[in-house]
Amino acid sequence: MSKGLPETRTDAAMSELVPEPRPKPAVPMKPVSINSNLLGYIGIDTIIEQMRKKTMKTGFDFNIMVVGQSGLGKSTLVNTLFKSQVSRKASSWNREEKIPKTVEIKAIGHVIEEGGVKMKLTVIDTPGFGDQINNENCWEPIEKYINEQYEKFLKEEVNIARKKRIPDTRVHCCLYFISPTGHSLRPLDLEFMKHLSKVVNIVPVIAKADTMTLEEKSEFKQRVRKELEVNGIEFYPQKEFDEDLEDKTENDKIRQESMPFAVVGSDKEYQVDGKRVLGRKTPWGIIEVENLNHCEFALLRDFVIRTHLQDLKEVTHNIHYETYRAKRLNDNGGLPPVSVDTEESHDSNP
C-alpha cells in the first residue's frame, strides 16, 4: 500500500495542475451578417446555378391526378394546363365508349421540355368515378392506387442496393373537379375529399365555370369553402404546413380568395384583337381561357406550375409519404416491408 501512495499523490497533483476541460453550455448564437467583412468573392451564390444545371441534366417527375364525373372537361383542362395533348382523351378514349362500370385508373406518361428543362409528366385519370347509380365507396380504388405508389417507393428505398434515383410514381397533386351546380357540394364530393385529403394534395376546381354568372360563381366559391371548413376538410395548401409568415400570407390569400379555382378549359385557338388565344366560342363571344376577367384558369396554372409545383412535391414526400412510411414500419415492428420476391421464396420453402 505504501508504494502506491506517492503515485496517488502525483496523480492528484497532476489533476490539480491540469484540470479536466469542462464542456461549455451551448448558447444559441444570433446570426451575424459578415458580408461587409468578406475580403473577396467566395462564390456561395453559385449553388443556385449548380442546382439549376443538375435539374436540367436529370429533369424531374411530376404526377397529377384528375378526379370527377365524366363530362366536366378534365382531359381538356389538363391539355390546356400543359399546352399539349397529354390526357387519355387524346390517345385512347372517346365519347362513344361506354362508361366503365367501376372506377378505373389510367396513367399516361409524357416528357415535356421547355427552356432546356425536362419534366416527366404523368397524368392519372379515373374514368368511371361518380358515374354509377350507386357511387358508395367509389373513392377506394383511388386511395388504393395512391397508397400503392407510396409502397413502391418505400420498397425501393429500403433495398440494400437501391437505385441512385428512385422512380417517383407518387401522386403529387389531385385536381378534384366540382360540378358547377351553383348550389352545394354533393355527399360524394365531401366523402372523397374527406378520405383522400389525408393521403394526397387535393386542389379543388369548379369545372365549366362559364355556365355561371359572376355573382353565382362568387357565391358558389364561398359556399364550397364554407362546406369544406364545416366538414373539417383541408385542401392544399394546408395551413399547418406553412413554413413562415411569407408563406402564410401568400397561402392565406389563395385559401380565402382563389380556392376553389373556377376554370374553363379549351385547346382551341381563336383570333381576338389580332392575337391567337385559347378559348371557347359561344353565341355571346369568345371566352378566353387565360383572361382573368373571364375565368381563373391562369391562377390555377400559375399556382400548380409556376409557384407551388416544388412545394407540392415536397409536401408529398415529407408529409404524405412519411406518414405512410411511418405507419408501415410501425405495423411491421420497425422492420422494412418484405419484397414480393422474398415473400414468394418464403412461401415455396417447406
Side-chain angles (χ1 to χ4, degrees):
M1 289 291 289
S2 59
K3 287 181 181 179
L5 284 171
E7 290 176 15
T8 310
R9 285 183 187 138
T10 308
D11 291 345
M14 286 294 290
S15 65
E16 285 176 15
L17 290 170
V18 188
E20 286 185 20
R22 292 181 182 178
K24 293 180 180 178
V27 179
M29 291 179 65
K30 291 182 180 178
V32 179
S33 177
I34 58 169
N35 286 352
S36 56
N37 299 329
L38 292 179
L39 300 177
Y41 177 67
I42 299 173
I44 299 168
D45 58 349
T46 63
I47 185 67
I48 304 299
E49 181 61 18
Q50 293 171 46
M51 290 165 71
R52 189 185 73 85
K53 281 183 179 177
K54 196 161 188 179
T55 304
M56 287 181 76
K57 274 184 188 176
T58 58
F60 65 96
D61 300 301
F62 187 60
N63 309 316
I64 187 167
M65 175 180 268
V66 288
V67 181
Q69 280 179 295
S70 60
L72 291 180
K74 301 186 297 294
S75 301
T76 304
L77 185 81
V78 174
N79 287 340
T80 315
L81 261 181
F82 297 100
K83 295 197 172 177
S84 50
Q85 299 291 313
V86 293
S87 76
R88 64 179 172 83
K89 183 181 175 184
S91 56
S92 65
W93 210 72
N94 59 61
R95 289 182 179 276
E96 292 171 8
E97 286 188 31
K98 290 181 180 177
I99 292 171
K101 290 186 178 179
T102 57
V103 177
E104 296 178 5
I105 311 289
K106 294 189 176 185
I108 297 176
H110 300 267
V111 175
I112 297 177
E113 188 171 348
E114 184 181 52
V117 179
K118 286 181 184 176
M119 175 172 75
K120 189 191 171 192
L121 172 71
T122 301
V123 178
I124 305 114
D125 202 354
T126 54
F129 176 85
D131 293 328
Q132 316 305 320
I133 295 169
N134 180 7
N135 289 302
E136 191 178 354
N137 297 340
C138 67
W139 46 267
E140 286 181 348
I142 297 170
E143 184 177 34
K144 182 171 178 278
Y145 175 86
I146 291 168
N147 285 330
E148 281 171 354
Q149 308 320 304
Y150 291 146
E151 184 69 15
K152 272 186 195 176
F153 197 90
L154 177 58
K155 283 183 176 175
E156 286 286 353
E157 204 175 43
V158 298
N159 276 342
I160 294 170
R162 64 181 181 186
K163 295 170 185 172
K164 187 179 176 183
R165 192 163 179 251
I166 299 173
D168 191 1
T169 60
R170 297 170 298 179
V171 180
H172 301 123
C173 175
C174 173
L175 294 181
Y176 186 77
F177 286 69
I178 298 165
S179 186
T181 61
H183 303 299
S184 60
L185 292 170
R186 300 172 304 160
L188 176 62
D189 298 329
L190 294 169
E191 195 71 17
F192 176 88
M193 286 190 268
K194 196 176 284 186
H195 283 92
L196 273 291
S197 62
K198 295 168 187 170
V199 297
V200 72
N201 296 317
I202 289 183
V203 176
V205 297
I206 298 169
K208 298 192 171 180
D210 54 323
T211 59
M212 296 185 284
T213 64
L214 293 175
E215 292 78 15
E216 287 170 343
K217 183 172 71 177
S218 177
E219 286 174 15
F220 189 44
K221 279 165 68 81
Q222 287 178 28
R223 199 172 296 127
V224 169
R225 281 197 294 268
K226 187 68 179 170
E227 285 189 68
L228 292 174
E229 186 185 342
V230 167
N231 286 276
I233 296 166
E234 280 222 355
F235 48 81
Y236 178 85
Q238 301 91 332
K239 290 178 188 175
E240 59 190 297
F241 306 146
D242 291 342
E243 291 186 1
D244 51 37
L245 188 60
E246 186 185 351
D247 270 4
K248 186 179 183 306
T249 305
E250 182 187 350
N251 289 338
D252 274 347
K253 191 176 180 185
I254 292 165
R255 286 186 286 256
Q256 293 162 15
E257 297 175 21
S258 302
M259 291 284 185
F261 295 99
V263 297
V264 176
S266 174
D267 42 19
K268 291 182 180 176
E269 285 192 336
Y270 294 93
Q271 195 87 15
V272 177
D273 297 329
K275 292 180 182 177
R276 303 291 293 173
V277 298
L278 288 170
R280 286 190 63 223
K281 194 171 185 178
T282 70
W284 304 277
I286 306 291
I287 296 167
E288 297 172 45
V289 167
E290 297 181 85
N291 186 334
L292 282 173
N293 293 320
H294 294 189
C295 79
E296 294 167 352
F297 169 82
L299 291 178
L300 173 67
R301 178 205 56 212
D302 290 356
F303 174 68
V304 171
I305 300 171
R306 300 182 185 182
T307 63
H308 284 68
L309 189 147
Q310 181 59 28
D311 190 63
L312 281 162
K313 287 168 66 69
E314 286 177 9
V315 171
T316 299
H317 181 75
N318 298 330
I319 309 295
H320 297 306
Y321 169 67
E322 276 302 314
T323 303
Y324 178 87
R325 178 181 168 277
K327 186 178 183 304
R328 279 289 281 119
L329 294 178
N330 189 49
D331 292 347
N332 214 28
L335 297 171
V338 181
S339 69
V340 176
D341 294 340
T342 314
E343 284 174 353
E344 285 173 356
S345 64
H346 281 314
D347 293 341
S348 60
N349 291 333

